[in-house]
Amino acid sequence: MFSLQTIFGSGKQFFGLLESAAAAALDSARALQVMTRTASATPSLEEFKRVRQREREILNEINAALVNTFVTPIEREEIEALAGALYRIPKAIEKFADRYALAAGNLRGIDFAPRAAMLEQAAVVVLEMVKQLKGMKVEPMKDLNDRLSALESEADRLMLELYRDLYAGNYDGMVVLLIKDFFELLEKAIDRCREAGSVVYRIVLKNS
């Protein structure tokens, strides 16, 4: 049930819901960091499933609130775009985790932790951007957006180094395919963080 205050109020509950979605994305990134640092033949996927369920519930709350709320603090399309972008972060992370759990035995000696740490840093920045969204201040948001862009650029640079190493013939064919696939999945998750940050930045530029 939605009260009259919910229907005709300022709609500021959206900021809280979006912040919860960004926090869930960070929880997923932190779970991945733990997974890549823990040597286990059968990594647990429980935390990733829990976060994804939480993210789905938040997205459903946002969609319901959009239907039942007359006034929103920013345009509905902007809320939907940001909610969707945040939802895709743990989705990309879970995809890596699912495959990692299946192939962990064939990935011994491959260190994913530094890239997972970079992903966690990107998720931290996204959460901070969402927290600051309601302030609609351009300069602080620009600084955060620049940090996110720098992380993405560093991830791209590391991918080029990885390709150089793979093409040097230091691994056999099967391992090359596995390494390439997994690092590209991590890069995709970082890209998802960058996309979410870009949505936040565009909203602030438009509404400040």
Side-chain angles (χ1 to χ4, degrees), residues 17-82:
L17 288 169
L18 291 168
E19 187 175 325
S20 294
L26 176 56
D27 285 347
S28 185
R30 285 176 171 160
L32 188 65
Q33 176 78 306
V34 172
M35 172 184 270
T36 56
R37 287 187 178 278
T38 304
S40 174
T42 56
S44 173
L45 296 173
E46 182 178 344
E47 179 65 9
F48 301 98
K49 305 299 182 187
R50 185 189 67 78
V51 171
R52 280 273 280 138
Q53 178 60 32
R54 192 167 119 221
E55 197 77 68
R56 278 191 290 268
E57 291 170 357
I58 293 168
L59 186 61
N60 288 338
E61 282 189 63
I62 290 172
N63 290 334
L66 285 170
V67 171
N68 291 282
T69 304
F70 184 71
V71 177
T72 57
I74 55 178
E75 291 184 8
R76 294 169 185 273
E77 292 77 9
E78 293 170 338
I79 295 171
E80 289 174 342
L82 181 52

Side-chain angles (χ1 to χ4, degrees), residues 167-195:
Y167 297 154
N170 297 324
Y171 304 94
D172 64 38
M174 178 62 179
V175 175
V176 166
L177 291 176
L178 281 173
I179 293 173
K180 182 175 180 292
D181 184 41
F182 278 101
F183 277 104
E184 286 179 349
L185 286 172
L186 278 176
E187 186 184 31
K188 174 62 72 176
I190 293 173
D191 287 344
R192 294 303 189 199
C193 290
R194 181 74 180 99
E195 290 164 10

Side-chain angles (χ1 to χ4, degrees), residues 65-166:
L66 285 170
V67 171
N68 291 282
T69 304
F70 184 71
V71 177
T72 57
I74 55 178
E75 291 184 8
R76 294 169 185 273
E77 292 77 9
E78 293 170 338
I79 295 171
E80 289 174 342
L82 181 52
L86 293 170
Y87 178 80
R88 286 189 286 274
I89 296 172
K91 183 177 180 181
I93 293 172
E94 187 184 28
K95 186 175 182 180
F96 176 97
D98 284 341
R99 295 189 185 183
Y100 185 86
L102 292 172
N106 296 315
L107 294 169
R108 293 189 180 90
I110 309 301
D111 188 7
F112 295 103
R115 310 296 176 89
M118 189 176 295
L119 170 60
E120 182 181 350
Q121 291 173 40
V124 167
V125 176
V126 169
L127 176 56
E128 185 59 32
M129 293 178 80
V130 175
K131 283 182 176 180
Q132 294 195 23
L133 180 58
K134 54 181 172 290
M136 293 295 170
K137 295 181 179 178
V138 174
E139 286 306 315
M141 199 64 75
K142 181 181 183 303
D143 291 342
L144 289 167
N145 190 61
D146 289 346
R147 282 173 56 191
L148 204 51
S149 180
L151 285 167
E152 182 189 35
S153 296
E154 178 63 9
D156 290 342
R157 185 187 69 79
L158 291 175
M159 279 302 299
L160 289 176
E161 287 189 3
L162 172 68
Y163 289 140
R164 189 180 298 114
D165 190 34
L166 293 178

Side-chain angles (χ1 to χ4, degrees), residues 78 81-83 85 133 194-204:
E78 293 170 338
L82 181 52
L133 180 58
R194 181 74 180 99
E195 290 164 10
S198 295
V199 173
V200 177
Y201 191 46
R202 287 198 301 271
I203 291 171
V204 171

